[in-house]
Amino acid sequence: MITQQRVMEILEEAGVLLQGHFKLTSGRHSNKYLQCARIFRNTRYSEELCAALAEQYCHDHVQIVIGPAMGAVQMAYEVSRALRCENFFTERGEDGKMALRRGFAVNPGDRVLVVEDVVTTGGSVREVIELVKEAGGEVVGVGSIVDRTGGKIDFGVPFKAVVSVEVESWEPEECPLCKAGAPAPVKPGSRKI
């Protein structure tokens, strides 16, 4: 079992925590951003963190790990490698909705673990959960490297994270950085909003 101290060491070494004025995928603003993509630049970090997450689901008979593109493509691979099962990713179609493409398909009864590098509002995760359910799959849980909600989110299935941190965010009209005249927020994530 990985210690929280070790997780924080990895996040620091990998340069994951950024300070500034950010626009999150949810549209909310924050003064901190966790750029988990930096974890996947170095396999020694990604392997250790994803194995720690997989360990939490090792008795759930996971058959497929699915992560939404872009943030969880590599993560789905690493977690599935530790669980010794298949991995897929979802991506947005022309209509902007999450879809399984490239021949990926969930069959009725498939046991699926949905993963995301960072969970803030859980919007993308909820879309993937719905895709799995519509196909007749069973979502055994949701896993993330970082839970930004401090454990306050509910997906209706077990949710486990390697580390849970509470990072403050605000609706744009309530953002203290905007009110103080800070430069426009930066959108570091992959999803257009």
Side-chain angles (χ1 to χ4, degrees):
M1 183 71 112
I2 195 168
T3 66
Q4 293 300 288
Q5 180 182 344
R6 176 61 186 144
V7 173
M8 295 313 288
E9 285 172 6
I10 292 171
L11 298 181
E12 187 175 322
E13 286 174 27
V16 169
L17 182 61
L18 306 177
Q19 307 275 346
H21 187 195
F22 303 100
K23 185 174 187 177
L24 307 176
T25 299
S26 65
R28 294 175 66 87
H29 291 197
S30 181
N31 60 346
K32 294 179 182 163
Y33 188 82
L34 294 151
Q35 184 56 275
C36 281
R38 291 182 175 189
I39 292 166
F40 296 95
R41 295 186 307 184
N42 190 317
T43 56
R44 87 172 177 256
Y45 300 143
S46 60
E47 183 176 17
E48 189 172 354
L49 292 174
C50 290
L53 179 61
E55 186 179 340
Q56 297 182 60
Y57 285 99
C58 67
H59 300 295
D60 289 286
H61 309 289
V62 175
Q63 294 171 288
I64 305 168
V65 176
I66 301 179
M70 278 300 298
V73 172
Q74 291 170 292
M75 182 181 172
Y77 173 83
E78 278 291 341
V79 173
S80 73
R81 190 162 70 98
L83 290 171
R84 304 212 184 289
C85 65
E86 287 190 286
N87 72 90
F88 302 162
F89 59 87
T90 60
E91 52 195 315
R92 296 201 179 277
E94 295 289 323
D95 59 2
K97 294 181 181 178
M98 280 292 180
L100 283 169
R101 299 170 45 190
R102 304 172 194 264
F104 298 148
V106 173
N107 297 307
D110 283 347
R111 295 179 58 81
V112 178
L113 174 63
V114 177
V115 297
E116 179 68 291
D117 57 351
V118 179
V119 169
T120 303
T121 63
S124 297
V125 169
R126 290 182 205 291
E127 288 183 72
V128 177
I129 288 171
E130 281 310 306
L131 276 175
V132 172
K133 287 180 177 178
E134 287 171 9
E138 179 187 349
V139 178
V140 299
V142 172
S144 70
I145 292 175
V146 178
D147 168 17
R148 277 185 55 137
T149 73
K152 295 177 183 163
I153 198 158
D154 182 5
F155 292 110
V157 295
F159 173 51
K160 301 172 185 177
V162 178
V163 67
S164 181
V165 295
E166 196 159 358
V167 177
E168 199 169 8
S169 67
W170 312 274
E171 291 297 333
E173 59 277 1
E174 298 168 5
C175 176
L177 300 171
C178 290
K179 288 178 180 179
V186 183
K187 169 78 176 72
S190 62
R191 185 173 169 193
K192 292 181 173 127
I193 50 176

